Amino acid sequence: EIAQEAEHKGWHLYIVGGAVRDLLLTRNYEKVLLQDIDLVVDGFHRSADVGAGVELASTIQKKYSNCRLSVHGEFQTAALLWHKDPEFGSLWLDIATSRTEFYPYPAANPEVEASSIRQDLYRRDFTINALAVRLTPPREGELLDFFGGLLDLKAKEVRVLHANSFIEDPTRIYRAVRFAVRLKFEIEPQTEAYIRYAIESGIYEKLRLKNHVAPALTTRLKAELKYILEANYWKPALQLLSELDALKCLHNQVSLDDKIWWQIRCASRWLKYLDPDNKIGHWLIRLEILISQINIKERKQLAQNLQLPKESLERIEIVNTLSSEIQENLKKYDKTSEKYKQLYRYKLPDLMLVAVNCNKKIRRIIWQYLTQWSKVESPLNGNDLKRMGYKPGPKYKMVLDRLLSLTLDGEIQSKEEAEIIVR
Ligand code: CTP
């Protein structure tokens, strides 16, 4: 339908990027569920048509009641979102206007058309992502492969399109790693050399220090980091980033030494057990551990640039003091109820960061707290006290707290014993 609309207007429409890559990688087209499709429109010959992508998108949107349109003016890109459509499921469709200079020639000229889509594809990250399929006649269905993407797909290689790619956009280093690990591809040796060269040049450090450039860069870096750290392949991806020295793009003090690697894995194991529904965002805790190795002032700055949530900022700011404080306090007490009182005011993410920072003995106590003590309840509740004839009042809390302590310390085992003590 979109292709027909484009054809009607005399434009060319292509499907590009990840969708083409993923379709070519599978043998069973029927089974591919594309949820994120990038289209590019070009081949126009009137300067008014530079907003072709947006125009096409709004024409389509008018035909579907359950479709939302958003426009990103800067790049003449429009996004259509079908949310839970009975036919498609959820579907994102990005329609971009070919990002090339306007060609004052007739669109029918195939050379101009080819060079326009070619330029658009040449600006992309990897050969495997620079493939396109033409959707409009003539030759609809034809695969456009200007840079050897098909060969690289077969050879399972992530190959960059030009030498400066990583200098222009460091997030591509993270993308290279993501595709390599996710698709089980290798990063082609020359591409790896470009990555290493870009990192050694120290350009990211310079960019980071220039505040006016850094926020936009780090926001995109955060999106890639999130993608990697929440994927089920986060471990090999993080290792590969470390092997390439690419964690330095975040900050020159970030590395994956044995200690940090252990801390991240330990926290992840705990979280899998303690927060199986991933309510607190395990990726965020992994990232917080990574950046907590930076000195306190700069780690806060980085976390702000990355626009981490407020709780995250607070956590990474206090983690060191909190760890020493909790460690010191726990040492002072023997009884379970006293240890419990030291820990109960903290939330799971705080305790996670502290636990991986502390020695084995303290870590064990925190584990016991999280898995056992925090689940213990006072054997009596307010209603029981009422039933026993006590008037509601501030004393209730004192009594119930005391009962909880006695239960934690194993001094009472049942409701009956609790009632005897209260009486
Ligand atoms: N792209 C790029 N450089 C970037 C980000 C994106 O060149 N830093 C291009 C690539 O051609 C990519 C396309 O934009 O294929 C779409 O980007 P995105 O949706 O992030 O990637 P996909 O390839 O669709 O990957 P995924 O399947 O993981 O979403």
Side-chain angles (χ1 to χ4, degrees):
E1 195 171 345
I2 308 177
Q4 273 170 9
E5 200 63 43
E7 188 193 350
H8 177 69
K9 297 200 186 266
W11 299 331
H12 302 284
L13 188 71
Y14 306 88
I15 177 167
V16 297
V20 181
R21 178 198 67 220
D22 292 345
L23 277 173
L24 287 167
L25 276 175
T26 177
R27 278 158 215 267
N28 191 349
Y29 297 125
E30 303 262 310
K31 278 210 167 159
V32 185
L33 183 65
L34 292 175
Q35 290 183 314
D36 189 354
I37 297 179
D38 291 309
L39 300 175
V40 169
V41 54
D42 85 343
F44 32 84
H45 49 95
R46 289 182 298 123
S47 54
D49 289 350
V50 287
V54 178
E55 192 178 323
L56 215 48
S58 54
T59 314
I60 297 300
Q61 193 237 350
K62 282 177 196 130
K63 297 189 180 173
Y64 292 87
S65 56
N66 60 344
C67 167
R68 233 181 48 212
L69 167 73
S70 51
V71 175
H72 314 281
E74 207 186 335
F75 299 113
Q76 297 292 351
T77 319
L80 290 172
L81 169 67
W82 279 268
H83 191 57
K84 292 193 179 143
D85 183 278
E87 196 182 338
F88 302 121
S90 281
L91 175 69
W92 267 106
L93 204 72
D94 276 302
I95 311 185
T97 310
S98 171
R99 275 182 277 158
T100 55
E101 290 89 314
F102 174 67
Y103 282 87
Y105 309 108
N109 179 341
E111 261 172 49
V112 173
E113 182 227 326
S115 74
S116 175
I117 183 71
R118 188 181 192 281
Q119 273 195 41
D120 186 282
L121 295 171
Y122 187 60
R123 286 168 200 213
R124 289 166 187 269
D125 48 7
F126 309 112
T127 59
I128 55 168
N129 288 342
L131 292 156
V133 173
R134 192 198 313 273
L135 299 176
T136 39
R139 307 191 304 282
E140 66 260 51
E142 181 186 40
L143 178 72
L144 275 67
D145 177 13
F146 298 109
F147 315 106
L150 201 52
L151 272 179
D152 287 334
L153 273 183
K154 284 188 182 139
K156 293 180 173 284
E157 287 196 328
V158 178
R159 184 191 307 269
V160 82
L161 284 167
H162 45 85
N164 273 336
S165 196
F166 299 116
I167 303 266
E168 282 165 14
D169 182 357
T171 60
R172 287 179 170 171
I173 299 178
Y174 284 61
R175 290 174 63 83
V177 165
R178 173 152 74 80
F179 290 120
V181 176
R182 182 173 103 193
L183 304 172
K184 298 195 169 65
F185 278 29
E186 293 290 329
I187 297 181
E188 174 272 329
Q190 182 61 62
T191 301
E192 182 177 330
Y194 290 144
I195 292 180
R196 290 189 187 277
Y197 173 77
I199 293 165
E200 275 162 28
S201 77
I203 177 136
Y204 308 128
E205 200 57 16
K206 283 182 213 139
L207 285 179
R208 193 177 60 75
L209 296 174
K210 281 193 205 162
N211 270 340
H212 63 284
V213 186
L217 177 77
T218 39
T219 311
R220 278 190 293 135
L221 209 51
K222 176 194 170 186
E224 284 300 330
L225 263 173
K226 178 169 189 268
Y227 217 139
I228 285 178
L229 290 176
E230 71 185 2
N232 55 10
Y233 50 78
W234 67 268
K235 278 189 210 160
L238 209 48
Q239 276 176 314
L240 185 52
L241 281 173
S242 162
E243 275 163 36
L244 292 167
D245 233 2
L247 293 169
K248 276 205 184 131
C249 298
L250 281 175
H251 189 285
N252 60 7
Q253 287 169 23
V254 175
S255 70
L256 196 67
D257 61 20
D258 288 350
K259 185 176 149 214
I260 298 292
W261 184 223
W262 178 86
Q263 288 186 341
I264 296 181
R265 279 179 304 152
C266 176
S268 301
R269 266 199 312 273
W270 280 36
L271 286 168
K272 213 170 172 178
Y273 180 78
L274 296 166
D275 177 36
D277 299 330
N278 200 352
K279 287 198 184 111
I280 57 178
H282 302 179
W283 77 274
L284 201 56
I285 303 292
R286 287 174 198 132
L287 182 59
E288 287 172 26
I289 295 176
L290 257 188
I291 62 180
S292 289
Q293 49 187 315
I294 307 172
N295 70 53
I296 185 90
K297 204 170 135 229
E298 294 184 35
R299 93 168 68 139
K300 208 178 147 194
Q301 182 63 52
L302 176 65
Q304 272 165 354
N305 282 355
L306 287 171
Q307 291 171 15
L308 299 191
K310 200 169 125 258
E311 311 84 72
S312 250
L313 286 170
E314 283 166 7
R315 273 198 296 270
I316 60 158
E317 203 180 345
I318 58 158
V319 56
N320 301 61
T321 356
L322 197 64
S323 300
S324 337
E325 211 177 276
I326 290 184
Q327 200 146 252
E328 278 311 305
N329 287 342
L330 286 177
K331 270 191 214 154
K332 289 188 211 152
Y333 300 104
D334 282 330
K335 281 190 170 177
T336 301
S337 59
E338 288 163 331
K339 292 178 188 154
Y340 173 95
K341 277 184 200 146
Q342 295 307 312
L343 297 175
Y344 89 97
R345 70 193 107 132
Y346 302 111
K347 293 193 184 125
L348 175 61
D350 300 293
L351 291 178
M352 283 307 318
L353 292 194
V354 171
V356 297
N357 249 307
C358 288
N359 64 40
K360 214 171 175 174
K361 203 170 155 205
I362 301 292
R363 198 160 41 250
R364 211 179 123 76
I365 297 174
I366 298 179
W367 177 254
Q368 280 180 304
Y369 167 78
L370 288 169
T371 54
Q372 301 163 27
W373 307 339
S374 62
K375 299 190 169 67
V376 173
E377 284 178 358
S378 165
L380 302 181
N381 60 29
N383 284 338
D384 294 322
L385 293 183
K386 217 166 163 183
R387 179 176 47 79
M388 289 166 72
Y390 295 97
K391 263 204 193 128
K395 273 208 166 165
Y396 263 40
K397 187 176 172 339
M398 248 172 59
V399 173
L400 295 178
D401 282 353
R402 181 81 192 117
L403 287 176
L404 177 63
S405 293
L406 291 169
T407 312
L408 280 165
D409 295 335
E411 289 176 30
I412 45 176
Q413 321 268 345
S414 66
K415 213 168 164 162
E416 290 71 31
E417 281 179 25
E419 286 185 11
I420 292 168
I421 285 192
V422 171
R423 286 209 170 94

